[in-house]
Amino acid sequence: MEHGASSDYGRALHTAHRHAMAWLDSLDERPIRPELDADAVRDRFAAELPDEPSDATSVVAELVAAAEPGLMAMGSSRFYGLVTGGTYPAALAADWLVSAWDQNTGPRQVAGATAAVEETAGRWLLDVLGLPPDSGVGSSTGATGANLACLIAARDALVRERGGDPSAGLHDLPPVRFFAGDAVHTSVVLAGRMSGLGAPRTVGADAQGRIDVDGLARALHEHGDDPAIVALQAGDVHSGAFDDFVAAVEVAHLAGAWVHVDGAFGLWAAASPRSRHLVEGVAHADSWATDAHKTLNVPYDCGVAIVRDEAAMTAALGAHAAYLPETAGVADPYDHVTEMSRRARGVPVWAALRSLGRQGVAQLVDGLTDAATALAAGFRAIPGLEVLNDVVFTQVCLAARDDASTAALGEWLRAEGTVWASSSTWHGRAVVRFSVSNHGTDAEAVRRTVDAVARGAAALGLED
């Protein structure tokens, strides 16, 4: 079969490349909001599957024509929703190769090349984040998958310590308590439910969302010696605040608890000397979860699960069967996450890290923090608006004088199209939340964002 430029592959990929470049080139100026909603886009596709096959090039062109009007410009430097990063060129190109190579990066024996790339990326990640170098590292779909993998490893390790057999099923296991601060992210709650731990018992938090360490200590000393897992947070989704890891980890470990850190975007503070103080003590935890498609700016999807005790990770998550190849002495990729079959999603992580280098990662983190600080300063200068959180990292929560006005501002901004920010509720007040995650959010993007917010406030009469 011919695979050159004249082949079906070449024509289809050429068409996809042309449309991809047009999309990327449009991000700086196109409205961030989509033109059509999901229902309208669905109506642009044929209701019934055609009987006859179609040429690959025409299929790609049809997909673009039908779907593009419904695409959100999430790669824009002025998209601040959902804590979604952009994409570095090297990471995007590597992701295209991942699809072309089509390696099932589950068993190491049959996907040695991509497994090796992921293992290298894992070592670099541990180094950049200042985490124990012998930790197990797995590539998951996102923070929810990473949290799930880590909580399963924690649950099983605690059960084994007490002589139980996790393979016997939850009904035969000793109870495992699960604690978190009041501002725990929903991905941790969901992972707790899926792992059989249930939603965490919350122990309090301060005004910025940092866990109440005294409340944690009281909760841990209830119910005797039952095993416990404590979920801490590196980067609150509203305030960006970080738990006091030094104090909380010490309290948890004194009680024999396993400490897990949800650091979907905030764990990357460790990569910069300027922000490293925010995660002081985080390396003393037992497991960590993060998202490379947030702060590191690689394509979706790419979560990372990290467990200090790799043996505990593989014991809980490892797959074993007569038909599965095994490599003696080395864990397979599917021993670190909940999936057996998956794409080599860690390859773009390697590409982003290799492209940036240690200094580039630090500059990325610093740039995001600087942009958030500049946004907050610009917003504070607009009459009728206030920034509600202490801006310590990449999150900015904006509010008007009343909830109805705040909600109207969020709707106006999303409809106008210069910026896209999420509406939410924090401490009983409506907010418009700006999550700075894109490496391209520079001074000009900040200026355009502040200008759009000022225009929105004026149009809605919020400055009166």
Side-chain angles (χ1 to χ4, degrees), residues 172 203 332 357:
D172 285 333
V203 300
D332 284 295

Side-chain angles (χ1 to χ4, degrees), residues 103-116 119 319 323-327 330-335 339-342:
Q103 302 291 289
N104 176 5
T105 308
R108 193 173 190 269
Q109 185 187 77
V110 299
T114 50
E119 289 166 11
Y323 65 90
L324 293 176
E326 294 188 6
T327 305
V330 181
D332 284 295
Y334 54 46
D335 291 332
E339 302 156 282
M340 290 182 63
S341 300
R342 64 169 178 84

Side-chain angles (χ1 to χ4, degrees), residues 286-332:
D286 301 292
S287 60
W288 306 263
T290 191
D291 266 355
H293 57 247
K294 296 187 186 297
T295 307
L296 189 60
N297 280 231
V298 307
Y300 272 94
D301 54 12
C302 198
V304 183
I306 305 170
V307 176
R308 175 189 296 274
D309 183 355
E310 185 180 23
M313 193 180 202
T314 59
L317 299 165
H320 304 282
Y323 65 90
L324 293 176
E326 294 188 6
T327 305
V330 181
D332 284 295

